[in-house]
Amino acid sequence: MKVYLLGAFICCSILAYSQNCPYKIIGQVRDMHTNQIIADARVSIQTKVIQTDSLGFFHFEDLCPGNLTLHCVPHFGCEPMDLEIQVPYNDLITFKVETHQVELDELLIEAYHFPRESQEKMTLKTNDISQIKGNTLGEQLIRFPGVTSLNTGSSIVKPVINGMHSNRLVVVNNGIRQEGQQWGSEHAPEIDPNLAGNLTVIQGASGLQYGTDAIGGVILVSPDELRYQKNTAGWIKLNGNSNGRGGGVSGLIAGSFTKSKKWAYRVHGTGRINGTQKAPDYWIKNTASNEYSYSAALGYKGEKFEMDVFYTKYSTNLGIFTGSHIGNLSDLNAAFAASTPKDTGSFTYQLENPKQLVQHDLSKIHLAYNWNKKIKTSLVYGYQFNLRQEYDLHKAYNDSIAALNLPAFELNLWTNSLELKTEIKHSNRFKSIFGVSGLEQSNAYSGRFFIPNFKKLQFGGYYLGTYENEKWLFDFGVRYDYSKLQVFIYDDNILTKPIRQFQNPSASAGVSRLLGHHWIVRLNLGTAWRPASINELYSNGLHHGAASIEIGDAQLKKEIVYNSQLGVQYKSHIAKVDLSVFYNYFDGYINLQPSLPPMLTIIGAFPVFRYVQSNVQITGLNGRVEIPIGKYVSYQFQGNFLFGTDLRSNQYLYGMPSNRISQRVRFSTARSGTRLNCFVELELLDVFKQKRYVPNSDYVSPPKGYDLLSAQAGISKKMNSGESLQVVLACSNLTNLSYRDYMNRFRYFTDELGRNWTIKVLVPFSITKKEQKL
C-alpha cells in the first residue's frame, strides 16, 4: 500500500512540474509623481527577486498563466507596493510607486580626490558656473590661479594665462578649436559662456593634442553631455545689471526622443543688451552693446557607433569709447594727461561710431566607432566663418558715400578643420592616443587696409601616452606640425604673393606622485611653438578697437618656448593648498610694444605700436589656500606673481600683468545636507602697481595699484528633478572706487567701471511624459 501511495505522489509531482509555464513579463518602475525612472528598485514575483537596471527596467521569465502579484520596494525607507497582473501579459508594465526622502542622522564622509594629470589643470563645474553666469568668458576664468584678464575698454575681456594671451592660447569650443580674429588684444573669444557646463584651463606647453599656439595653455569650453536615455529637461537664466542698465536671458532644453532613447538633442539661446556704462564719476561715452547667440545639437549613441552634429551662431555689436579716437596730436596728448575724458556723454542704448559688429558661425560633425572595449576611433570636422565690421568715428569726406554707412574695414575669415584620432586602452594602466589634424583657412578684407588677404594650410600628427599605478602617473607626448601662409599684398601697386613656411616638433613629459592620502606633487616639462601670425607679420594701420596704429615685421620667425612647471597640492579637512611655480624660456618671443611718438593720420591721431622679437624669460608663482573655519565658513587666499625679462636688452618685459592677491570669506550652508541652502561671499582683490617697466617707454606710466571690494549672496533650493533653483545678488566695486588697470589699453583715456549690482536667477525645469496606469 505504501508503494502505491508513493508512486501516486511522484506522478502528481511530475504532472505539477510539467505544467506549461512559457510566459515572461517586462516592466519599468517609475515615480508616481515625477515619472522619473527608479534604478535598483527591488521587484519580486512569487519566489523570484530581481533589481531594476539603470533605466528602471525589470523582466521575469518562465511564468505560469494566472493571477500574479508584483511586489516592489522602490528604495530603503519606502513603503512596498503591490500590483496585480494577469499572465500572459504582452504589453510593457509601468509600475508607478510612491517614493519619498528619508532623513537620517547626518553622516559626513570626506574623500580627497586629486586630478592625476601631471600638468596644471583646473576645472570650473556647472554648479560653480551658475553662480557667475552672465559674465564674459574672461571674467569667469579669473577665479583660477594664474589667470587674469586683458581688457579693451569696458566691454571686451579676454583671458590671460601666466602673462600670455591672444594667439598664445588655444580656445576649444565643444571640441572644435576656435578660429576667429583672436590675434588682437581687443578681439575677445566669440563664445557664449552660458552654454558651458565645464570650463577647464590647462596651463603650460602640455596641450599637444590641440596643435600649435598652445604655448600659454588651453581653455576648454564644454557643454554638458547630451541627455541620452533621459527625459526632457532644461533651464532658464535671467540676469540684470545696474551699470549699463542692462540684462539678458538665456535658455536651454535637452532630452532624448520618446521612440528611440539612443537619439538626443539640445537647443540653446541667449540675448543680452547693455547701455552706456559708467565710471564712478562720469559716463564712458559710446560703451553700449548688445549680443545674441543660439546653438543646436543632435546626437546618436549606439553600442558601437556614436555621432553628433552641432551648430552655433554668435553675434555682438560693440561701441568703442569715443574718447579713444582723437582728431589731432595736441588733443591726444591732453587726453593722456587728463584724469577725466573731455566728452563724457550721457546714458543711452544707442551705438554710435566708432563701433564693431562681430559674427561667428561654427559647425561640427563628430563620428566615433568603438571597435571593442579597448579601442575607439573618432573623426571631427569643423567649419567656421568669422565676420568683423569696424565703423570709424570720422565719416568719409564724400557725403554720398558717408550716407551708405558702410564699414570702414571688414574682415571675412573661413576655416575648415579635420581631426582623426584613435584611443587605445592597452591595459588598466597604460593608454595611448594617436591623431592627425589639418586646417585650411582663408581671409578676405575690404575697405581700409590693416592686414592683407591670405590663405593658410596647417597639418600635424601626434602621439600621447599615459601610464599610471596606485601612486605614480607618467604622461608623455610628441607632435609635429607644418604651417604654410600665403599672403596677397600690393607692393608699389604690384600684387605680390609671398609665402612663409614654418615647421617644428613639440613635446611634453610629466609625472605626478601621490604622497599618502593628502599630498600630490606634479612636474611637467615641455616645448611648444607657434608660427608668426598674420598681424605680427603684415599689419600696417589702425587697429580700430584698440585705438592704435600697429605695424608688423615680415621678417619675424617662429616662436618657440621651453616650459617647466612644478606643482604641489594638499587636501584635508584642515585646509586645501594648491601651489605651482613655472619657468618659460622663449626663443623669438614676439611682443607688441609702444613705439613713441604717436602718429597723426587723416582719420585722427593714435599711439603707435610695433611687433618686435627677442629672447625672453617669464617666471611666476601661483597659489591658492582654502581654510574651513567651522562648519559653514571658509577663507580663501589666492596670489598670482609674474616676472618677465627681455634677455637681449636685459630689461623688463613690456605688457606683463601686475602681481595680485585676492582674499575671500564665504559663508555657506551647503554642507548641512538640506534642500534649501544659501551663501554669502565677500572678496577683496589687491592689485599692485606694475613697477617692472622701462621708464619713458610707454605713452602713460603704469597706474597706481588698487584694492577692489566685491560681494555676492545667493540662495538655492533643490527641486524634485535634482536640479537647483538659484537666485544670486552680486556687487562688484562695492566702494565705487576710481581706478585704472595696467592691462586695459584704454587706461590711457578713462577709468574702469564703477559700482555694478547684478541679479541672476536660474530656473531649472523637467518635462516627463505621463503614462496611463494599469
Side-chain angles (χ1 to χ4, degrees):
M1 184 65 179
K2 292 181 179 180
V3 175
Y4 290 114
L5 289 175
L6 178 61
F9 176 77
I10 294 174
C11 291
C12 291
S13 299
I14 293 174
L15 289 175
Y17 280 100
S18 63
Q19 183 179 2
N20 189 18
C21 298
Y23 300 108
K24 65 179 180 179
I25 58 173
I26 300 175
Q28 188 180 42
V29 179
R30 289 180 175 268
D31 186 275
M32 180 182 298
H33 302 291
T34 66
N35 207 39
Q36 293 283 326
I37 60 175
I38 300 178
D40 299 323
R42 185 172 178 269
V43 184
S44 62
I45 188 169
Q46 295 177 332
T47 59
K48 301 178 180 180
V49 181
I50 61 173
Q51 283 187 310
T52 58
D53 61 19
S54 59
L55 299 179
F57 286 104
F58 64 87
H59 71 277
F60 292 96
E61 297 180 346
D62 302 326
L63 298 177
C64 300
N67 293 321
L68 298 176
T69 301
L70 278 172
H71 185 77
C72 178
V73 180
H75 58 72
F76 174 76
C78 291
E79 294 295 330
M81 297 188 69
D82 293 334
L83 179 67
E84 298 289 336
I85 61 171
Q86 178 69 38
V87 178
Y89 191 90
N90 298 322
D91 295 328
L92 177 69
I93 298 172
T94 301
F95 202 155
K96 297 293 185 73
V97 297
E98 179 86 34
T99 64
H100 57 266
Q101 285 193 325
V102 180
E103 294 190 8
L104 303 175
D105 292 336
E106 184 174 313
L107 175 64
L108 179 63
I109 301 175
E110 288 190 292
Y112 307 106
H113 170 71
F114 292 101
R116 296 295 302 275
E117 295 86 355
S118 66
Q119 71 268 28
E120 190 68 22
K121 183 176 181 180
M122 298 161 288
T123 298
L124 196 63
K125 298 294 185 181
T126 304
N127 290 337
D128 300 320
I129 292 173
S130 61
Q131 293 179 7
I132 51 178
K133 283 290 189 187
N135 296 349
T136 66
L137 180 64
E139 290 170 330
Q140 293 191 21
L141 292 171
I142 61 176
R143 286 186 166 241
F144 292 126
V147 181
T148 56
S149 64
L150 174 67
N151 294 27
T152 303
S154 55
S155 55
I156 301 173
V157 183
K158 63 190 311 177
V160 180
I161 300 177
N162 294 337
M164 289 167 277
H165 57 83
S166 304
N167 45 12
R168 291 189 183 91
L169 301 182
V170 171
V171 180
V172 179
N173 185 5
N174 193 17
I176 296 291
R177 174 173 160 149
Q178 183 86 2
E179 293 289 343
Q181 308 289 349
Q182 70 265 30
W183 33 261
S185 63
E186 48 73 75
H187 299 288
E190 298 94 348
I191 296 176
D192 178 11
N194 288 291
L195 181 59
N198 294 285
L199 295 176
T200 301
V201 172
I202 302 174
Q203 294 186 9
S206 56
L208 295 180
Q209 182 175 339
Y210 306 101
T212 62
D213 300 344
I215 285 180
V218 179
I219 299 171
L220 305 177
V221 184
S222 307
D224 289 325
E225 292 186 358
L226 293 173
R227 295 176 60 84
Y228 295 105
Q229 307 287 349
K230 295 182 180 179
N231 63 305
T232 300
W235 45 257
I236 296 175
K237 295 187 179 74
L238 306 171
N239 63 78
N241 50 276
S242 64
N243 199 329
R245 303 176 191 174
V249 58
S250 183
L252 179 145
I253 184 169
S256 57
F257 294 99
T258 303
K259 294 185 178 180
S260 178
K261 297 293 185 178
K262 294 181 178 180
W263 288 88
Y265 66 90
R266 180 181 62 242
V267 180
H268 166 262
T270 295
R272 184 173 179 81
I273 187 171
N274 259 315
T276 307
Q277 296 180 310
K278 194 175 186 298
D281 301 318
Y282 53 84
W283 296 102
I284 308 175
K285 187 177 180 181
N286 197 39
T287 51
S289 63
N290 58 75
E291 69 179 60
Y292 71 86
S293 70
Y294 54 85
S295 69
L298 176 68
Y300 170 84
K301 190 172 186 179
E303 294 182 4
K304 294 283 189 178
F305 178 71
E306 302 174 22
M307 178 275 295
D308 65 86
V309 294
F310 173 75
Y311 171 77
T312 181
K313 184 179 185 68
Y314 175 90
S315 178
T316 182
N317 282 279
L318 298 169
I320 304 299
F321 172 52
T322 308
S324 64
H325 286 240
I326 298 174
N328 58 68
L329 291 173
S330 297
D331 289 346
L332 178 62
N333 288 321
F336 288 158
S339 59
T340 302
K342 182 179 180 180
D343 186 2
T344 57
S346 59
F347 179 82
T348 179
Y349 289 102
Q350 299 298 317
L351 278 75
E352 303 174 354
N353 292 342
K355 64 182 180 180
Q356 291 185 353
L357 167 67
V358 182
Q359 293 183 348
H360 191 86
D361 295 78
L362 183 149
S363 304
K364 166 193 168 183
I365 300 175
H366 169 240
L367 307 174
Y369 188 80
N370 296 280
W371 301 95
N372 50 47
K373 292 183 179 180
K374 296 185 176 182
I375 302 177
K376 179 180 180 179
T377 299
S378 59
L379 178 69
V380 179
Y381 167 75
Y383 169 78
Q384 300 176 68
F385 172 68
N386 187 274
L387 169 68
R388 179 174 295 275
Q389 294 180 339
E390 302 186 347
Y391 295 80
D392 281 346
L393 175 63
H394 304 287
K395 295 184 178 180
Y397 292 107
N398 187 308
D399 291 339
S400 61
I401 296 178
L404 297 175
N405 195 30
L406 297 175
F409 172 51
E410 179 176 298
L411 282 173
N412 297 270
L413 182 68
W414 296 269
T415 305
N416 289 277
S417 61
L418 190 68
E419 181 183 22
L420 176 67
K421 70 177 181 180
T422 296
E423 303 173 56
I424 303 176
K425 184 178 180 180
H426 304 282
S427 67
N428 290 333
R429 295 187 173 183
F430 182 42
K431 302 174 185 177
S432 294
I433 301 178
F434 298 86
V436 293
S437 62
L439 178 145
E440 180 272 332
Q441 193 172 76
S442 58
N443 182 82
Y445 84 93
S446 61
R448 171 175 40 82
F449 178 86
F450 179 62
I451 60 172
N453 297 337
F454 68 86
K455 289 185 177 180
K456 181 180 180 181
L457 290 174
Q458 192 164 295
F459 303 97
Y462 62 89
Y463 167 78
L464 307 174
T466 303
Y467 174 83
E468 63 179 314
N469 57 29
E470 291 77 11
K471 296 292 184 180
W472 292 90
L473 179 140
F474 301 91
D475 58 55
F476 45 90
V478 292
R479 183 183 180 104
Y480 197 90
D481 287 280
Y482 166 81
S483 179
K484 175 183 176 182
L485 179 69
Q486 183 175 20
V487 178
F488 304 88
I489 189 171
Y490 283 90
D491 186 7
D492 292 332
N493 294 322
I494 298 175
L495 179 63
T496 61
K497 303 177 182 179
I499 295 176
R500 295 294 307 272
Q501 299 183 72
F502 305 90
Q503 53 187 318
N504 208 72
S506 304
S508 176
V511 59
S512 67
R513 174 72 160 89
L514 284 171
L515 302 175
H517 298 290
H518 302 290
W519 293 91
I520 186 170
V521 179
R522 299 185 177 94
L523 174 65
N524 186 272
L525 305 174
T527 178
W529 74 285
R530 69 179 185 89
S533 61
I534 185 67
N535 59 308
E536 294 166 336
L537 292 166
Y538 296 104
S539 62
N540 189 6
L542 174 63
H543 195 165
H544 181 267
S548 62
I549 302 294
E550 296 184 6
I551 301 173
D553 182 356
Q555 303 306 313
L556 295 175
K557 62 178 184 178
K558 61 191 174 187
E559 181 179 288
I560 303 175
V561 65
Y562 301 93
N563 168 266
S564 59
Q565 192 163 20
L566 175 65
V568 60
Q569 275 188 295
Y570 171 83
K571 291 184 180 182
S572 75
H573 67 281
I574 299 175
K576 296 179 181 179
V577 181
D578 190 345
L579 295 173
S580 66
V581 294
F582 65 90
Y583 174 81
N584 293 326
Y585 171 77
F586 288 86
D587 180 5
Y589 183 87
I590 303 171
N591 199 19
L592 182 64
Q593 298 182 177
S595 179
L596 283 64
M599 181 184 298
L600 179 63
T601 71
I602 61 172
I603 56 175
F606 299 94
V608 179
F609 291 77
R610 292 180 182 272
Y611 287 99
V612 296
Q613 194 162 34
S614 183
N615 293 341
V616 308
Q617 67 178 16
I618 300 177
T619 60
L621 168 67
N622 303 315
R624 179 166 58 189
V625 179
E626 184 176 343
I627 302 173
I629 305 173
K631 185 177 181 180
Y632 302 109
V633 181
S634 64
Y635 167 79
Q636 185 183 101
F637 176 92
Q638 181 172 307
N640 303 328
F641 302 93
L642 192 66
F643 310 95
T645 304
D646 187 323
L647 298 177
R648 289 184 182 175
S649 63
N650 197 29
Q651 293 181 327
Y652 299 125
L653 183 63
Y654 173 79
M656 289 291 98
S658 305
N659 295 334
R660 63 195 59 210
I661 61 174
S662 66
Q663 300 177 79
R664 293 190 186 99
V665 177
R666 182 182 179 91
F667 169 85
S668 175
T669 63
R671 290 169 61 91
S672 65
T674 61
R675 295 174 65 89
L676 183 65
N677 293 297
C678 64
F679 79 93
V680 178
E681 182 178 276
L682 192 67
E683 178 183 5
L684 178 63
L685 172 65
D686 299 312
V687 178
F688 306 130
K689 180 179 180 178
Q690 181 56 278
K691 297 182 179 180
R692 299 176 62 85
Y693 79 101
V694 179
N696 302 317
S697 64
D698 202 350
Y699 294 97
V700 178
S701 298
K704 62 181 181 180
Y706 58 88
D707 298 325
L708 208 60
L709 186 64
S710 302
Q712 62 175 337
I715 187 169
S716 66
K717 177 176 174 57
K718 184 167 288 188
M719 314 301 287
N720 289 333
S721 62
E723 302 296 328
S724 294
L725 170 68
Q726 299 184 33
V727 179
V728 177
L729 177 65
C731 184
S732 59
N733 194 0
L734 194 61
T735 60
N736 207 29
L737 176 72
S738 295
Y739 71 100
R740 300 191 181 191
D741 190 272
Y742 179 67
M743 292 300 288
N744 190 335
R745 180 73 65 82
F746 280 10
R747 67 179 172 85
Y748 293 162
F749 310 106
T750 182
D751 291 341
E752 300 288 336
L753 293 184
R755 183 185 297 115
N756 183 31
W757 289 94
T758 306
I759 186 168
K760 307 163 191 177
V761 180
L762 167 65
V763 182
F765 62 86
S766 179
I767 303 173
T768 56
K769 182 180 178 181
K770 293 184 178 181
E771 300 184 22
Q772 186 176 3
K773 296 182 180 181
L774 293 176

